[in-house]
Amino acid sequence: MKPIYIPEPFRIKSVEPLRILTREEREQKIAEANYNVFSLAARDVCIDLLTDSGTGAMSTAQWAGVMMGDESYAGADCYYKVQQAAKKIFGLPHVQLVHQGRAAEKVLLPILLEGKKYAIANMHFDTTRAHVELAGARAIDCVVPEALDTTAYFDFKGNMDCEKLEAYIRDLGAENIGVIIMTITNNSAGGQPVSVENIRRTREIAHRYGIKFMIDAARFAENSYFVKQREPKFKDSSIAEIVRATFEDADCFAMSSKKDAIVNMGGLIGCRDKNIFELVKQRTISFEGFITYGGMSGRDIEALAQGLIEGIDENYLKYRIGQMEYLAARLEEGGIPFQSPVGGHAVFVDAKKLLPHIPYYEFPAQALAVELYREAGIRACDIGSFMLGNDPETGKQLEADFEFTRLAIPRRVYTQSHLDVIADALINIKERADEIKGYKIVEEPPILRHFTAKLRPL
Ligand code: F0G
């Protein structure tokens, strides 16, 4: 039986034209960009899959909110509106606005890590890891081993390995661990979901050892949709009920609103403890702005209050995850390897398997990203050894666990025809995979090199 995908649950009222360059023009643009997709001008890209963050399309109700936004410095209407929406959805008593996810991390993590040596997560997103390290602690990842096998089916590849977590706590000493973080969905493992059962178990372990439990909530709604599909206990629950179960008894959360809340800019912090919230407010005022706007414009706050509600709509989520499943099914049919089952916000193509002749130090996932641009003007990015960089001590190239080319799908932006173009482009590339060459770095900065490094084809 063929799966049934629901149509885009919206119609298009305003369009943004796309430029379609010729293959010769694209060859020239990518060479001028030194084979780094971050150096391409967006106007030279046809389908932009660099990220799903801040790239979503707002609804008519959100755009109407933009006009309604109250720009008062203190106590604006939109502030009360977003407080009400966020408290109702997440169930935590204290909520603080900040301008994006990493700002939430910058404000919150030093409070939790004061005098501590470690943070443990299922997997830290890059900015979370950076803020743990800036706070003077070490970030340890503890994902289930199933996540590492891209071909094996497992319902919740984002889960925490709870046995290993307890072993870490005993070895490192509970008193040295400032926070245990659950990233939902688990972006670095391929947008993979985490079960509510695993969240509860992890939280119970954290609390048993007197450690704070935090959720990185960037993709909380997509995670809840997977829970509804795959965790039998929740099959009859509403998304709103699953979100409440997810955040039940969590001490705090940090969230980038640029993903599941479908806004172009924004972030949130939630906490249960009044004393932590007092510190959060103080730090927000110095880093972000007064507490009732936290680095956001009133119009963006208004759009966020509405986006939080639209983001947990079940039909929207069915369409959203359906897009991933549709693209994944087409790739599977075409024999393209990817992290399977597909995650919530992106398809992570397994470049190690597609281009087995390119070793990690010649960056197969980067080579595939460049090839996708050449083939169809599609911009994806490397999540592999090119992104990982060099060992800070020896200066030698590190080998990543995965060589993924990430196709992140913006929310409500591209139609099924765009997805077909993406699948067809990859299938074409597969046919001449053995002709594709690796890359050499000719210039790189010492940290976060993948954003600006220059490369040349081998
Ligand atoms: N946490 C997770 C799980 C994320 O995926 C991101 C951002 C952040 C925190 C930081 O949020 O960008 O608002 O400061 N992820 C984007 C991505 C950049 O492309 O995956 P931010």
Side-chain angles (χ1 to χ4, degrees), residues 49-54 99-105 123-128 131 182-188 216-219 254-259 264-267 345 348 381 383 406 408 451:
L49 310 180
L50 201 52
T51 180
D52 64 316
S53 179
H99 85 276
Q100 68 181 93
R102 65 201 73 184
E105 294 160 358
M123 279 178 103
H124 294 81
F125 180 67
D126 329 359
T127 58
T128 323
H131 281 292
M182 193 64 112
T183 308
I184 60 170
T185 54
N186 186 333
N187 186 357
S188 313
D216 176 343
R219 299 180 181 85
M255 176 171 131
S256 167
S257 309
K258 301 170 69 171
K259 285 88 172 168
N264 305 117
M265 193 52 71
H345 68 290
F348 287 63
C381 72
I383 308 255
R406 184 178 83 165
F451 291 122

